[in-house]
Amino acid sequence: MQELTHFIGGKHVAGTSGRFAEGWQPMTGEQISRVPLASRAEMRAAVENAKAAQPAWAATNPQRRARVLMKFLQLLERDNDKLAEVLAREHGKTIPDAKGDIQRGVEVVEFACGVPHLLKGEFSDGAGPNIDVYSLRQPLGVVAGITPFNFPAMIPMWKFAPAIACGNAFILKPSERDPSVPLMLAELFLEAGLPPGILNVVNGDKEAVDALLDDPDIQAIGFVGSTPIAEYVYARGCATGKRVQCFGGAKNHLVVMPDADMDQTVDALIGAGYGSAGERCMAVSVAVPVGKKTADELMRRLIPRVESLKIGPSTDTSADYGPLVTAQALERVRGYVDIGVAEGATLAVDGRGFKMQGYENGYYLGGCLFDHVTPDMRIYKEEIFGPVLSVVRANTYEDALKLCNDHEYGNGVAIFTRDGDAARDFASRVQVGMIGVNVPIPVPIAYYTFGGWKRSAFGDLNQHGPDSIRFYTRTKTVTARWPSGVKDGASFVIPTME
Ligand code: NAD
């Protein structure tokens, strides 16, 4: 069994708190590691280290900083197989899906390589008599990211790549369930030439998070995880005067219009509903067919597809999805299926009895499909985060739209239709942050921004894209006049541009 460390000041550092989390391999149900849980004192030491390293990194010109990111990209490519293998083993997702997790992070590192351009300020020549006005974007100092278990490569890179490119030092507190890839990423960045102390990985639980929230040297916090914790981090971080952005849970709907291409729609629902065992914040968990005929046809096609899903260990590259992340997650998701049955939904496909031969202790669940789910049910209102798709039948397009708008979450949503007017109206009126038109998982590409609405996100700025540069920098505006022989005397009125 492996004893993991923290990565502080460019070195692996053993935990000293005496507290550990157990790391389990979802595929087999075996314990594979012990993860140190940092104390406040350990977190403080990491922050001090980062604070000492940050000014020299901020003073390194942006192009040189970008070169370190470019070298980091090369190392990510070199070690891609190793990273994917470790990620799949700890998380449970399949190796091809683990490679996707890494790739979506890589794309944000690529975006952040453009930082010399992205940091360019504005300049107004002759804004007043002999006066020029310009703005500067400067790093914040030491910033932190707190990330969830479900994308252990992508989300840490979404956070630290733009932050570091902008000249900040970064403390990453990854999920205690799969921290090995974040540690490997920090090692690779160091190998790429990042100065020690600029990217630190400190493992931990609530104590470590609270230490970050209360630390006066942490200027900004980016969080991704479940909504109750997102809300807590947002409130406490704001109360201590930090810049905070928190991304939370989701319940993503896919509206199926009567004119939708049914082959495309069913493929989309199967991939987006069950891929990664439904453990994606952009997973589709609710299908909303419009009209009885559409609903009946959808169910007729979905049932055999869900029944024939191929579930396998993470090492099986032909599997559609692997195990859930922990025994507790498996219990929670199974519990939701029980609740759905008790609430009166029709369980059209029941995956609860699934056993993976040769891996009987792994955390596997067969695909589950509910029909006739109604908005008052807990399985509709709450995030299940497992391979469970609910079908909520709508009579009209307006009913489907209202359903999406009334849900407390607003992360992603999709509409499948051939009708451009309907798609356009939907994109305009739906109260959700990321919208797909015949695209089931509309995670925006790296140079756009990612973020939900309503209780899926707290704070004003999104992740990656231009918002990430805004989030990790502070703007300064300079109004400058050089002595030019003009003597206008003391003025006692507020300067204007008259
Ligand atoms: P989680 O909320 O349990 O954990 C997220 C982070 O918070 C982890 O680093 C964890 O150690 C820390 N944490 C846990 N309990 C805490 C507490 N009481 N106080 C302070 N910190 C605490 O989430 P998870 O189970 O790791 O991830 C799944 C959730 O993340 C789902 O709800 C999913 O929708 C959401 N998610 C959202 C997005 C998004 O961009 N909106 C992306 C990915 C995942």
Side-chain angles (χ1 to χ4, degrees):
M1 191 173 40
Q2 203 186 356
E3 183 137 333
L4 297 179
T5 59
H6 308 296
F7 193 83
I8 299 171
K11 293 192 205 79
H12 284 278
V13 178
T16 56
S17 71
R19 294 195 309 122
F20 292 89
E22 294 167 346
W24 298 85
Q25 177 166 255
M27 175 169 77
T28 57
E30 288 163 347
Q31 192 181 346
I32 50 170
S33 65
R34 290 209 315 160
V35 183
L37 300 174
S39 63
R40 277 184 175 264
E42 286 172 291
M43 187 59 91
R44 182 64 208 147
V47 175
E48 274 174 6
N49 207 298
K51 193 179 171 193
Q54 191 266 338
W57 177 243
T60 304
N61 76 53
Q63 190 130 9
R64 282 178 188 269
R65 295 203 299 260
R67 280 189 201 129
V68 177
L69 271 83
M70 289 176 202
K71 179 75 185 158
F72 178 49
L73 283 174
Q74 291 169 5
L75 301 180
L76 289 168
E77 197 173 328
R78 183 195 72 190
D79 287 1
N80 186 266
D81 287 342
K82 196 161 67 177
L83 287 162
E85 191 270 318
V86 173
L87 197 159
R89 176 158 47 90
E90 262 187 4
H91 174 284
K93 63 178 78 175
T94 62
I95 287 178
D97 197 29
K99 290 199 170 186
D101 184 334
I102 297 163
Q103 181 56 26
R104 288 306 293 234
V106 161
E107 288 165 12
V108 172
V109 182
E110 289 169 346
F111 164 76
C113 286
V115 76
H117 174 70
L118 295 164
L119 283 179
K120 281 196 291 200
E122 294 163 320
F123 186 90
S124 296
D125 174 33
N130 298 317
I131 291 175
D132 302 326
V133 179
Y134 58 96
S135 62
L136 310 174
R137 286 204 168 275
Q138 298 190 326
L140 303 177
V142 185
V143 299
I146 301 158
T147 54
F149 81 86
N150 67 328
F151 281 98
M154 177 184 91
I155 296 180
M157 285 194 264
W158 283 11
K159 300 281 173 212
F160 69 63
I164 287 174
C166 289
N168 299 287
F170 200 91
I171 308 278
L172 174 66
K173 205 304 283 171
S175 169
E176 58 275 42
R177 291 177 237 167
D178 46 15
S180 290
V181 167
L183 287 164
M184 290 165 77
L185 295 176
E187 276 172 27
L188 289 180
F189 220 157
L190 186 80
E191 188 185 337
L194 191 71
I198 298 302
L199 176 56
N200 307 278
V201 180
V202 183
N203 288 302
D205 56 4
K206 181 171 169 28
E207 183 171 337
V209 171
D210 286 347
L212 285 170
L213 290 168
D214 296 342
D215 196 309
D217 286 324
I218 295 289
Q219 305 299 326
I221 294 198
F223 171 93
V224 182
S226 57
T227 287
I229 314 292
E231 205 167 17
Y232 165 75
V233 168
Y234 188 70
R236 187 152 168 179
C238 289
T240 54
K242 301 185 194 317
R243 186 178 289 185
V244 193
Q245 56 171 199
C246 294
F247 300 91
K251 198 82 181 173
N252 306 312
H253 296 51
L254 189 152
V255 174
V256 186
M257 295 296 286
D259 66 350
D261 177 326
M262 268 295 168
D263 293 335
Q264 195 188 46
T265 306
V266 170
D267 281 343
L269 282 168
I270 291 293
Y274 299 92
S276 200
E279 291 175 322
R280 292 184 184 137
C281 69
M282 290 291 277
V284 172
S285 48
V286 183
V288 189
V290 174
K292 183 173 184 321
K293 203 164 146 237
T294 316
D296 292 345
E297 173 68 0
L298 186 70
M299 286 307 295
R300 190 183 68 75
R301 289 172 177 243
L302 273 177
I303 289 171
R305 293 288 298 273
V306 178
E307 283 171 343
S308 60
L309 282 166
K310 184 166 185 237
I311 298 138
S314 319
T315 44
D316 177 354
T317 50
S318 68
D320 294 327
Y321 70 85
L324 288 148
V325 66
T326 56
Q328 293 80 355
L330 176 62
E331 271 326 292
R332 199 199 61 246
V333 177
R334 264 207 202 118
Y336 269 114
V337 181
D338 297 342
I339 291 169
V341 172
E343 285 177 319
T346 307
L347 186 56
V349 182
D350 183 358
R352 287 173 296 179
F354 180 83
K355 278 273 166 236
M356 187 71 225
Q357 268 202 339
Y359 295 85
E360 282 74 10
N361 294 324
Y363 315 133
Y364 300 91
L365 182 66
C368 298
L369 176 66
F370 277 113
D371 195 3
H372 301 290
V373 174
T374 53
D376 54 310
M377 294 180 181
R378 275 186 65 195
I379 58 162
Y380 174 74
K381 291 196 273 200
E382 298 172 19
E383 184 181 42
I384 298 177
F385 224 54
V388 183
L389 180 66
S390 295
V391 174
V392 182
R393 294 167 175 245
N395 289 327
T396 64
Y397 163 74
E398 286 297 333
D399 291 346
L401 177 65
K402 184 170 183 324
L403 204 60
C404 303
N405 286 347
D406 287 351
H407 203 285
E408 66 168 343
Y409 292 126
N411 212 37
V413 73
I415 185 166
F416 275 60
T417 181
R418 288 188 166 93
D419 181 341
D421 278 347
R424 195 164 178 278
D425 182 79
F426 186 77
S428 160
R429 288 166 64 206
V430 75
Q431 302 292 303
V432 175
M434 293 170 283
I435 295 134
V437 176
N438 299 314
V439 170
I441 306 186
V443 176
I445 45 177
Y447 43 99
Y448 281 75
T449 70
F450 179 109
W453 282 21
K454 297 184 279 186
R455 290 177 58 73
S456 291
F458 304 86
D460 301 321
L461 293 170
N462 280 349
Q463 307 185 86
H464 65 65
D467 272 9
S468 63
I469 304 300
R470 292 183 194 113
F471 185 75
Y472 290 116
T473 56
R474 195 177 265 146
T475 307
K476 210 178 240 178
T477 310
V478 182
T479 303
R481 179 170 70 175
W482 294 95
S484 55
V486 181
K487 307 273 183 243
D488 42 12
S491 172
F492 298 94
V493 294
I494 180 84
T496 66
M497 286 297 142
E498 288 262 313

